Amino acid sequence: MFVPFFLCALEFKVATYNVENLFDAQREGSEYEEYIPNNKHSWNETMLQIKIAHIARVISDIDADIIVLAEIENKAVLQRLNAALGSKAYPYLFYPNKKERVNIETALLSRFPIEKTSTITMRDQARGIHRVTVTIDNKPLDLYLNHWPAYREKEDERLVYAKTLHNVLEKESKREYILLGDFNSPYQEQKGHWGMGLVTFLQAGDKNAPLYNLWYELPQERRYSHSYGKEKVTLDHIIIPKTLLDRKGIEYKSGSLNVFIRPYMLDENGHPNRWQISNRGRGEHQGIGFSDHLPLTAIFHTLND
């Protein structure tokens, strides 16, 4: 949708990035075995500093005004990551009150003030969906931070997330919001029902669907943010309601969805250059690589009243 420049008041970039297991070097008891500090896997302060520097490089290059991050262990390591951005550090941070049995959570860095936060909880699910409201050009925008249960597993659990979020959004139909994060589901139904939660229950699809999944803006061959073996999949998403396409308040800039890639972020096969642990993840940390996901970015703007 074309919006004349003179109607635009402020343009801003939104991003989502699963940083792959950013644990600190302090033992808390909830770490994955390979991230227990100073054991046989050699996860330690030195490795943490390298990992933070690598992820900070990506975030700095993205240069988003709002970025949602998945797989952050705690607020302290989020603050260290933000500090590593130097002059590009963000003034506003969000990290949820983490439940005891949750090892990694979603977080947010923002250049816009955070007005309020809340968490959508689900029975028998440890990790919730977090709603963060920011103010942009005096206009409120709700950001729903998602990290659903693992791909190729736990389909029933992902359906709980989809149904719960759908019910919440039914009450928020007139508000302006963005759904983003790692949904661990492809953008469309595939063999074995993968993606059913997004398509059937959340009702996210092309522009004819109630919610618009921005993946449909890219050609088929560019629709991927993660490699599952040799399969390129779309686990990460930015999804918007029709209120961001109505030329009022806050508007999505048509055609701006992008899978953010720099050569250093890819391996020799063109897959995400993930953080390396030897012996197929059972050995030692190598101090090489970034994440097994690629970031997504999209541009939005406010409109003159």
Side-chain angles (χ1 to χ4, degrees):
M1 179 183 298
F2 173 73
V3 177
F5 179 78
F6 64 86
L7 293 178
C8 302
L10 176 67
E11 186 172 274
F12 60 97
K13 183 190 292 185
V14 172
T16 181
Y17 186 28
N18 183 324
V19 301
E20 190 182 17
N21 298 327
L22 185 57
F23 286 89
D24 66 15
Q26 305 297 317
R27 184 162 186 167
E28 296 181 359
S30 59
E31 298 88 356
Y32 297 140
E33 198 272 340
E34 62 271 25
Y35 285 91
I36 296 173
N38 305 308
N39 71 356
K40 65 180 181 179
H41 298 289
S42 300
W43 179 251
N44 51 38
E45 178 62 27
T46 298
M47 287 295 160
L48 172 62
Q49 290 178 11
I50 295 171
K51 173 78 172 184
I52 285 177
H54 287 196
I55 297 302
R57 179 183 180 185
V58 178
I59 293 174
S60 180
D61 285 350
I62 294 171
D63 198 24
D65 297 289
I66 299 170
I67 183 165
V68 172
L69 304 172
E71 301 196 6
I72 305 286
E73 184 186 19
N74 52 44
K75 187 174 182 178
V77 77
L78 175 67
Q79 291 170 329
R80 287 187 60 174
L81 174 60
N82 192 45
L85 295 171
S87 62
K88 289 188 176 181
Y90 290 80
Y92 305 102
L93 286 70
F94 165 77
Y95 192 86
N97 293 321
K98 194 172 72 170
K99 291 184 178 180
E100 184 176 345
R101 60 196 179 104
V102 175
N103 40 37
I104 46 178
E105 262 288 7
T106 50
L108 179 140
L109 302 174
S110 175
R111 292 176 181 154
F112 301 110
I114 295 173
E115 298 300 331
K116 60 181 179 179
T117 66
S118 60
T119 296
I120 303 167
T121 59
M122 279 143 287
R123 187 177 64 182
D124 300 326
Q125 300 298 319
R127 190 163 53 224
I129 297 171
H130 309 295
R131 177 169 50 197
V132 179
T133 304
V134 297
T135 300
I136 304 172
D137 199 20
N138 295 316
K139 297 174 174 63
L141 177 66
D142 290 340
L143 303 158
Y144 288 85
L145 284 53
N146 294 268
H147 187 193
W148 294 6
Y151 181 58
R152 296 295 192 192
E153 304 173 26
K154 304 179 179 178
E155 180 72 10
D156 290 342
E157 294 181 21
R158 287 200 300 280
L159 294 181
V160 171
Y161 280 74
K163 292 175 184 178
T164 303
L165 183 55
H166 171 73
N167 291 338
V168 169
L169 296 177
E170 284 284 285
K171 302 174 184 177
E172 306 287 335
S173 58
K174 294 183 179 180
R175 293 181 65 89
E176 298 198 307
Y177 60 82
I178 305 174
L179 314 179
L180 67 175
D182 180 0
F183 293 74
N184 267 312
S185 304
Y187 69 94
Q188 60 183 180
E189 288 189 26
Q190 298 178 0
K191 185 177 180 180
H193 302 294
W194 306 114
M196 184 171 65
L198 284 177
V199 179
T200 304
F201 292 102
L202 196 54
Q203 298 183 328
D206 60 19
K207 283 190 175 179
N208 295 316
L211 297 178
Y212 183 33
N213 192 327
L214 299 187
W215 277 119
Y216 284 91
E217 299 214 328
L218 295 181
Q220 190 76 39
E221 67 273 12
R222 291 183 55 202
R223 295 179 192 172
Y224 81 98
S225 61
H226 176 75
S227 295
Y228 189 85
K230 295 182 179 180
E231 180 186 8
K232 291 183 175 181
V233 292
T234 55
L235 303 188
D236 308 278
H237 302 266
I238 300 178
I239 299 169
I240 62 173
K242 288 182 168 46
T243 53
L244 293 182
L245 298 168
D246 62 3
R247 301 190 184 187
K248 299 177 183 178
I250 295 174
E251 188 83 353
Y252 169 64
K253 183 177 180 180
S254 181
S256 68
L257 180 74
N258 184 47
V259 181
F260 185 86
I261 299 175
R262 293 293 182 269
Y264 65 82
M265 297 168 62
L266 300 177
D267 63 19
E268 62 276 8
N269 297 312
H271 297 289
N273 183 16
R274 69 179 305 174
W275 182 256
Q276 295 296 310
I277 304 175
S278 65
N279 193 22
R280 297 185 178 182
R282 295 186 293 271
E284 296 184 352
H285 291 269
Q286 302 296 293
I288 300 170
F290 296 83
S291 171
D292 57 347
H293 288 247
L294 297 171
L296 301 183
T297 66
I299 304 296
F300 297 81
H301 49 245
T302 61
L303 298 178
N304 292 316
D305 296 328

